[in-house]
Amino acid sequence: MLRTHTCGDLRLTDKGTTVTLCGWVDSYRDHGGGLFVDLRDRYGITQVVFNPPDTPQDIIDASKDLRAEYVIQVTGKVEPRPEGMANRKHASGEIELRVTELKLLNKSKAPPVSPSESITEIPNEDLRLKHRFLDLRRPVMQRAMILRDKITKGMRDYFADLNFIDVETPILGRSTPEGARDYLVPSRVHHGKFYALPQSPQLYKQILMIAGYDRYVQVARCFRDEDLRADRQPEFTQLDLEMAFIDDDDIMTLIDGLVVKLAKDLLDIDVPTPLPRMTYDEAMRRFGHDAPDLRYGLEIVDLTDLAPQSDFGVFKSVTDAGGHVRAICVPGGANHYSRRGIDALTEFVKGLGAKGLAYFRVNEEGVLDSNIAKFFSEELRAEMGTRLDAKPGDLVLFSADKWLGTCKVLHGLRKKIGEEMKLYDPKAMNFSWVVQFPMFERTEDADNPQAIGKWSAMHHPFTAPLDDSVDHLDDDPAKCRAKAYDLIINGYEAGGGTIRIHDPEVQSKVFGLLGIDKETAQDRFGFLLEALAYGAPPHGGIALGLDRMVMLFGGFDNIRDVIAFPKTQKATDLMTEAPGLVDAKQLKELAIKTDL
RNA sequence: GGCGCCGUAGCUCAAUUGGUUAGAGUACUGGACUGUCGAUCCAGUGGUUGCGGGUUCGAGUCCCGUCGGCGUCGCCA
């Protein structure tokens, strides 16, 4: 060992002891006669002092050459700092190391990305990603990685205590055309054939249930070749689990327990259980989204029935066409959003597909007023005000469109205004479930005109219907609700799962609705269908998005900050420059010709 | 693929309506300084304004294209 302690260890109680520290020069302060260095490692910062008479002159002279990020080993005596010189910013701030020996372990070029927390300016993200070794040296990033480790370990411990066993599943698998685009790996042995990287271990974990491993868990890497977002990476990590002989309530109760433990251990928050559960239909009705942020209100109010009483052409034509008129009432919004502010909101909703933004301000007398007020009788405005619980100074924003259109616009407004008006405590954590998702949705895929209007699975084709929904498979698939549940944290989908179909008859009906004929089913999932025929227990599970949970628990606003080596929005790695070209020889072995 | 924001010194940023030699802080280099902790003080080095084209007497600034980063819609069972 090159050191006796870390830079976060030493306290007043260590005074008088001789210790050796190693670390990076976080900063240095040269006073001519002597010099101070803040020495950093991942445990903290300790001030090391090169001053006479404790430090020999030749060591002081050598210390003059130290620069940011040089790696040094120093030996000396731990001493309390002089009266009034303690630095409360650091845990070891009451002591300092009086250096008697210095060894330069390595030099550093002047860092383009400063790891020092004393530099408050954070470099552009492309620089951080290119020099990730420096970026990851920043204490905030080290805290993120440590938090990630704690969450992962907390999860593993929790499930291990409950008799779950960790089973690894393949990375090289088989492509299934449903769902996200696959990352493909060409086979050298079988020219023209490809492995696919797993989008999730879904099918394998069902096989494990059938194989009798009734409690499976895995920290699983997953891959989806789709476009990126602030909360989406092409490769990400799921805490994946599956159980046999359980129902949906068991999975949710299990995860409630995990959430309580993690919130208590990591954030010292007491989360009451059971976590609230809201159906998908209610979430869409009240918040316009299947992952509502429940840290603030701004609930949607449906005014479709009142709209025809107005003379406002936009509302009337929408309701005549079977659409909806819905609104949110923003408390204090009339003062927060000026004319120009509302123009900005209008531009914003146009980006979401709205044609415009109808609004009312609520004036001093509590009356709804705006440029469209003339189309609404006094009585009608009063009635709308009552429904909306509108108070003087509020702002009422409308969306008139098809149901999903109003959901999208009002959810967008709600989210934007919640942020802009700071309607919630950024440190607050809100956990809930959204349950009873529709089994099927109508395809609106413009790339594939033949598929438009056909049913597709909202989760995957093995999702079980609610017990009282089974009959709707025959008469009205749109009414069919699934044993599906999403864990929602602060408006993010932090995890999701389902109970799986284990009844061959139900499975075949679902395949039928999805237009998957026997041959296709056999070709794509033959192994699973075969396995299901050999005594499959009732089973189901869930997958938690580990990266997102770390992001939310750590208060980060993007997922890259909790992944050591993330990809850019164009799915490249700026440090390694992946993806890269390969040799012609490699392509030839794989029988691949590129067409650029 | 669409929309939007951004790209100026190693780094973070500024530069009036398109107008003189593109500035500041920091880093770096040299010097001063015995208790600092974003040390301080003095001096200095450092620029193809991402790249290419265009408009103009004149472009960091306006236009077109392109590359890169970010956000978002589509997409993500």
Side-chain angles (χ1 to χ4, degrees):
Chain A
M1 295 278 274
L2 300 186
R3 62 185 176 188
T4 60
H5 295 75
T6 74
C7 297
D9 285 340
L10 300 171
R11 298 290 183 274
L12 274 178
T13 49
D14 297 300
K15 88 172 172 185
T17 57
T18 296
V19 302
T20 301
L21 298 181
C22 291
W24 287 264
V25 174
D26 189 76
S27 63
Y28 59 95
R29 295 174 289 280
D30 187 348
H31 284 254
L35 181 140
F36 299 85
V37 165
D38 283 347
L39 192 65
R40 166 176 38 78
D41 61 19
R42 80 169 163 97
Y43 305 93
I45 283 180
T46 296
Q47 173 165 281
V48 300
V49 184
F50 300 80
N51 264 352
D54 306 86
T55 310
Q57 191 57 45
D58 61 320
I59 303 285
I60 294 177
D61 292 342
S63 74
K64 301 287 180 187
D65 292 329
L66 295 177
R67 291 295 178 270
E69 301 312 311
Y70 277 28
V71 188
I72 60 173
Q73 178 191 50
V74 285
T75 299
K77 204 176 271 187
V78 179
E79 295 292 351
R81 296 206 188 173
E83 193 69 26
M85 297 287 177
N87 185 342
R88 289 173 202 289
K89 276 188 275 183
H90 303 129
S92 62
E94 290 192 280
I95 56 88
E96 62 192 17
L97 187 68
R98 307 270 172 87
V99 176
T100 51
E101 290 175 51
L102 166 68
K103 186 174 181 188
L104 179 62
L105 298 174
N106 218 338
K107 291 187 171 188
S108 169
K109 298 205 282 186
V113 172
S114 175
S116 175
E117 237 172 4
S118 68
I119 308 294
T120 49
E121 293 156 331
I122 297 172
N124 283 325
E125 191 159 4
D126 48 350
L127 270 175
R128 292 175 53 202
L129 292 172
K130 184 174 179 194
H131 306 277
R132 196 61 163 173
F133 36 88
L134 293 172
D135 193 42
L136 286 170
R137 210 181 273 168
R138 294 165 55 222
V140 62
M141 292 300 286
Q142 297 195 333
R143 283 194 288 273
M145 293 306 130
I146 291 164
L147 174 66
R148 187 181 176 113
D149 170 67
K150 284 184 174 159
I151 288 178
T152 309
K153 185 170 186 300
M155 289 175 165
R156 286 197 155 119
D157 289 349
Y158 179 78
F159 292 112
D161 287 348
L162 291 171
N163 238 350
F164 281 75
I165 58 171
D166 187 322
V167 180
E168 290 183 82
T169 54
I171 293 295
L172 296 175
R174 186 186 163 154
S175 177
T176 49
E178 292 82 17
R181 194 176 293 114
D182 284 319
Y183 274 101
L184 298 175
V185 178
S187 164
R188 175 184 58 83
V189 182
H190 304 278
H191 287 173
K193 292 190 174 177
F194 295 82
Y195 302 97
L197 306 184
Q199 296 177 25
S200 78
Q202 181 61 41
L203 299 179
Y204 295 109
K205 67 179 179 178
Q206 289 192 245
I207 297 284
L208 287 169
M209 290 307 104
I210 298 166
Y213 298 77
D214 64 324
R215 292 183 167 207
Y216 142 90
V217 71
Q218 183 184 192
V219 176
R221 193 66 66 87
C222 306
F223 307 85
R224 293 179 190 176
D225 189 4
E226 297 291 349
D227 286 348
L228 279 53
R229 289 288 185 281
D231 62 346
R232 266 166 34 192
Q233 279 278 301
E235 65 178 300
F236 59 100
T237 306
Q238 288 185 343
L239 188 288
D240 189 51
L241 68 88
E242 191 83 0
M243 299 175 85
F245 309 118
I246 47 84
D247 212 338
D248 45 6
D249 185 62
D250 300 298
I251 299 287
M252 286 186 270
T253 302
L254 173 78
I255 300 302
D256 281 359
L258 174 68
V259 166
V260 166
K261 174 186 146 105
L262 292 177
K264 185 64 188 174
D265 292 353
L266 300 170
L267 303 174
D268 198 27
I269 294 174
D270 290 302
V271 177
T273 51
L275 297 180
R277 299 178 190 180
M278 184 186 295
T279 65
Y280 169 89
D281 292 328
E282 183 182 353
M284 296 301 279
R285 195 169 66 242
R286 291 173 60 192
F287 304 101
H289 197 247
D290 61 1
D293 191 338
L294 302 180
R295 289 175 298 178
Y296 53 95
L298 299 185
E299 289 195 27
I300 297 172
V301 175
D302 198 316
L303 300 170
T304 307
D305 57 314
L306 297 181
Q309 297 173 34
S310 77
D311 297 317
F312 191 45
V314 174
F315 283 7
K316 291 177 86 165
S317 61
V318 164
T319 52
D320 285 350
H324 292 256
V325 175
R326 303 163 81 202
I328 55 173
C329 178
V330 184
N335 304 320
H336 191 273
Y337 289 98
S338 61
R339 173 71 236 182
R340 185 180 293 183
I342 291 174
D343 285 347
L345 291 177
T346 305
E347 284 309 303
F348 173 75
V349 298
K350 281 182 180 172
L352 297 176
K355 292 195 178 66
L357 179 62
Y359 69 94
F360 285 118
R361 295 170 188 278
V362 186
N363 69 18
E364 300 291 324
E365 287 77 45
V367 175
L368 275 55
D369 191 24
S370 77
N371 55 346
I372 57 165
K374 60 192 172 196
F375 300 116
F376 299 79
S377 70
E378 217 168 287
E379 295 74 28
L380 182 55
R381 278 184 277 153
E383 171 64 16
M384 291 197 298
T386 306
R387 290 258 202 107
L388 290 157
D389 194 24
K391 301 207 163 40
D394 291 358
L395 176 68
V396 178
L397 300 168
F398 288 90
S399 172
D401 204 337
K402 290 177 194 162
W403 174 257
L404 284 177
T406 60
C407 285
K408 188 170 162 186
V409 165
L410 293 172
H411 164 69
L413 283 172
R414 190 174 170 267
K415 201 171 155 186
K416 184 181 178 68
I417 291 166
E419 282 166 21
E420 288 181 352
M421 291 185 68
K422 298 186 171 61
L423 296 180
Y424 52 88
D425 174 359
K427 284 184 182 161
M429 294 290 281
N430 186 290
F431 303 90
S432 69
W433 291 101
V434 170
V435 300
Q436 299 182 14
F437 282 76
M439 287 278 287
F440 310 102
E441 57 192 348
R442 297 275 188 187
T443 302
E444 293 179 32
D445 188 351
D447 294 342
N448 183 4
Q450 291 195 319
I452 292 176
K454 299 245 171 85
W455 293 113
S456 60
M458 197 142 168
H459 278 77
H460 52 71
F462 310 107
T463 304
L466 291 178
D467 299 338
D468 58 12
S469 260
V470 176
D471 292 342
H472 291 315
L473 287 174
D474 300 312
D475 56 47
D476 191 355
K479 282 190 186 155
C480 234
R481 292 294 177 268
K483 286 187 181 175
Y485 31 82
D486 279 1
L487 176 67
I488 310 300
I489 306 178
N490 297 353
Y492 285 88
E493 179 192 333
T498 62
I499 300 297
R500 330 297 178 188
I501 299 170
H502 65 280
D503 178 341
E505 210 173 300
V506 174
Q507 185 67 69
S508 113
K509 274 188 191 172
V510 170
F511 278 155
L513 277 167
L514 296 174
I516 301 174
D517 60 37
K518 270 199 178 141
E519 209 170 80
T520 311
Q522 197 58 40
D523 182 50
R524 289 183 197 166
F525 321 111
F527 63 98
L528 180 64
L529 299 178
E530 176 79 355
L532 285 167
Y534 286 89
H539 63 286
I542 192 168
L544 304 177
L546 180 69
D547 317 272
R548 279 186 192 172
M549 289 192 64
V550 179
M551 173 178 93
L552 292 163
F553 273 70
F556 294 93
D557 58 11
N558 89 64
I559 202 170
R560 295 180 299 279
D561 284 348
V562 299
I563 296 174
F565 303 103
K567 303 285 191 288
T568 67
Q569 200 172 69
K570 290 202 172 141
T572 65
D573 180 333
L574 294 180
M575 186 178 70
T576 65
E577 295 185 317
L581 295 169
V582 297
D583 292 341
K585 179 168 173 275
Q586 291 174 285
L587 288 178
K588 195 170 181 197
E589 279 180 339
L590 298 165
I592 286 179
K593 282 184 185 162
T594 52
D595 178 19
L596 301 175

